[in-house]
Amino acid sequence: MLRLFARSTVASVRPTLATSVSRPAFPAIQQRATMASDNPSKRTNDQLKTSDLFNVDFVTAVVTGGGTGIGLMIAQALVTNGAKVYITGRREEVLESTVKQYNTGPGSLHALPGDVSTKEGAIKLAKEMEQKEPKGIHLLVNNAGIARDDNTKFSTNGQPNMEDPNAISQHFLKSEEQQFQETFQTNVIGQYFMSMAFLPLLAKGREVTPGYTTSVVNVSSISGQMKGSSNGQFAYASSKAAFTHMSRMLATTFKDCKVRVNVIAPGIFPSEMTTNESGDDNKSQLSSKPGNPAGRGGHDSDMAASILFLAGKGGLFYNEQILYPDGGSTLQAPAFK
């Protein structure tokens, strides 16, 4: 009642107030709207359109492991929205197949064979990119990863009696040291050297793109946040936990260079890692429905939305952040975020 009365009262006296209040205020409001585009903290309506916030048509990106799985989803999203994308991997034929099938614009897709798991390989790739892109790049996506818990993962070896200490011990002692070493070599050590080797190129890309800060996006996993055994995959899960924390360290180390570092920690998405295969289209298909609140695995569009947000202008205020496109998986199992 009071609200209605207030409105009717204002309406009845509006002609009187117009000369003393409304008219002086209107030019000020109009001036603020006009100046919005000149003030970095304010935007016009056009500048808040999705086409501007998530625009990546000026971006040059490198995506490791970009031939299949999540890496392909990310590369496809960037290319479809105008970015120039280099995909890396050790299987040149897979990269070429991906380029042939998905280089449909409006951006462009390029194969860049190489081994991202070693210091030597990372430095070699960075030098090749410097020759190809002397003005630098805008985005490095460290996506390549492996899982080597073949001896203990429950999906193929069964689950031990979790109330029997001997059964647990015998099951997990089937792990080999080399399996841990190989997993950490690719999932942590390789990502460290890639980030360090490409930092100068990222700094160059920022310098030639006013108003934009370049970034590293590290694709980790919710396995690194969950407190269980990750269905028998201690090496994989612990490597992802290490990778996620290393990303925080990289963000802190790169902050004064104005290069951001963020993380995408996905739940179950179709990939060669989760299905052990991919089709002629270099994509995979989940055979079972994950037990998460969403009732499904991740879609290409879920990953596309994540990378476009972090790489576009709308994500420039995000640094040392972790996105969890997981369908709510961490709500059902002990986890920390």
Side-chain angles (χ1 to χ4, degrees):
M1 292 293 293
L2 289 175
R3 190 171 296 169
L4 289 172
F5 177 77
R7 287 181 178 174
S8 61
T9 302
V10 172
S12 64
V13 298
R14 187 168 290 161
T16 304
L17 293 174
T19 56
S20 59
V21 177
S22 298
R23 194 163 291 172
F26 179 75
I29 294 171
Q30 187 178 42
Q31 183 181 21
R32 287 198 297 270
T34 303
M35 295 176 61
S37 59
D38 299 326
N39 188 323
S41 67
K42 299 177 181 179
R43 294 291 184 266
T44 64
N45 284 3
D46 284 342
Q47 291 173 314
L48 295 178
K49 290 181 177 179
T50 55
S51 57
D52 190 66
L53 289 175
F54 307 113
N55 175 36
V56 293
D57 64 9
F58 60 91
V59 167
T60 298
V62 174
V63 181
T64 71
T68 62
I70 289 175
L72 172 53
M73 297 176 198
I74 289 173
Q76 189 179 359
L78 292 169
V79 168
T80 301
N81 289 278
K84 183 178 185 180
V85 182
Y86 293 86
I87 53 174
T88 73
R90 285 178 284 195
R91 297 177 295 172
E92 186 172 359
E93 70 282 0
V94 173
L95 298 179
E96 295 294 347
S97 173
T98 295
V99 170
K100 183 178 180 180
Q101 296 184 70
Y102 299 100
N103 189 22
T104 57
S108 59
L109 191 60
H110 309 268
L112 186 70
D115 184 1
V116 302
S117 67
T118 66
K119 177 180 179 179
E120 180 183 6
I123 294 174
K124 181 180 178 182
L125 282 169
K127 288 181 178 179
E128 289 183 28
M129 279 303 302
E130 187 175 16
Q131 294 177 350
K132 295 177 182 293
E133 301 294 338
K135 293 184 179 180
I137 66 172
H138 302 90
L139 175 66
L140 169 65
V141 180
N142 284 318
N143 163 76
I146 62 172
R148 290 289 186 268
D149 293 281
D150 298 332
N151 298 355
T152 58
K153 61 183 181 181
F154 298 161
S155 60
T156 56
N157 300 281
Q159 182 175 349
N161 180 353
M162 301 306 287
E163 295 181 354
D164 185 341
N166 290 321
I168 295 173
S169 175
Q170 291 172 9
H171 181 90
F172 285 105
L173 281 175
K174 294 176 183 176
S175 297
E176 299 294 339
E177 292 176 345
Q178 185 178 357
Q179 293 172 323
F180 269 82
Q181 291 165 353
E182 290 177 354
T183 301
F184 272 78
Q185 180 67 47
T186 297
N187 295 1
V188 183
I189 298 173
Q191 316 288 24
Y192 166 80
F193 285 116
M194 282 292 293
S195 301
M196 292 302 180
F198 276 79
L199 178 60
L201 283 169
L202 289 163
K204 283 185 179 180
R206 177 186 58 76
E207 291 170 358
V208 300
T209 312
Y212 184 81
T213 51
T214 52
S215 69
V216 179
V217 173
N218 289 329
V219 180
S220 185
S221 169
I222 60 168
S223 295
Q225 312 298 127
M226 303 179 81
K227 300 178 182 179
S229 71
S230 191
N231 290 315
Q233 299 182 96
F234 265 86
Y236 175 75
S238 56
S239 75
K240 289 300 185 179
F243 185 30
T244 297
H245 186 65
M246 186 180 74
S247 299
R248 298 185 183 100
M249 298 171 68
L250 290 171
T252 304
T253 303
F254 294 174
K255 65 180 177 61
D256 293 332
C257 297
K258 308 302 180 185
V259 174
R260 298 174 293 120
V261 182
N262 290 297
V263 175
I264 298 176
I268 297 177
F269 277 71
S271 69
E272 290 184 347
M273 184 180 296
T274 54
T275 68
N276 298 316
E277 62 182 2
S278 59
D280 294 337
D281 59 357
N282 286 352
K283 295 195 175 188
S284 305
Q285 185 173 347
L286 296 173
S287 58
S288 59
K289 183 183 294 186
N292 57 29
R296 65 173 176 84
H299 293 167
D300 293 4
S301 54
D302 299 315
M303 191 53 59
S306 299
I307 192 61
L308 291 175
F309 167 59
L310 291 176
K313 298 176 183 177
L316 293 181
F317 208 47
Y318 286 76
N319 198 357
E320 198 242 341
Q321 301 300 305
I322 307 173
L323 299 186
Y324 297 97
D326 68 349
S329 295
T330 51
L331 298 174
Q332 295 185 318
F336 71 96
K337 292 184 178 179

